[in-house]
Amino acid sequence: MILITRIKELRAKNGLTQEDLARLVGVRRETIIHLEKGKYNPSLKLAWDIAQALGTTVDEIFTFLEG
């Protein structure tokens, strides 16, 4: 499965840097980098925290594609 995320797009729309978002959800900036590149599958808790920080829902941010 391939993880597609809209984190970068939604983060920019909210005027947040990677560091800002990382601080809001309690992870390192590197985690946000890996998430934005689809190289890291977040826990459900982290996905929910990110959605809350970006003012949206988990399914608006993350999509899994067969591949």
Side-chain angles (χ1 to χ4, degrees):
M1 290 190 138
I2 300 168
L3 176 65
I4 305 297
T5 77
R6 295 180 59 215
I7 295 173
K8 185 174 184 177
E9 169 193 346
L10 295 169
R11 178 178 57 73
K13 185 177 177 181
N14 282 279
L16 298 171
T17 66
Q18 290 171 336
E19 186 67 37
D20 294 335
L21 182 57
R23 192 172 35 257
L24 285 171
V25 300
V27 298
R28 294 178 26 202
R29 180 176 166 260
E30 288 78 9
T31 301
I32 301 300
I33 291 168
H34 290 301
L35 283 166
E36 288 184 353
K37 292 181 179 182
K39 295 184 177 186
Y40 177 73
N41 293 338
S43 67
L44 182 56
K45 170 79 166 91
L46 179 55
W48 190 85
D49 288 345
I50 290 169
Q52 292 297 301
L54 296 176
T56 190
T57 61
V58 171
D59 60 330
E60 286 292 322
I61 300 173
F62 299 100
T63 304
F64 282 101
L65 299 177
E66 296 291 328

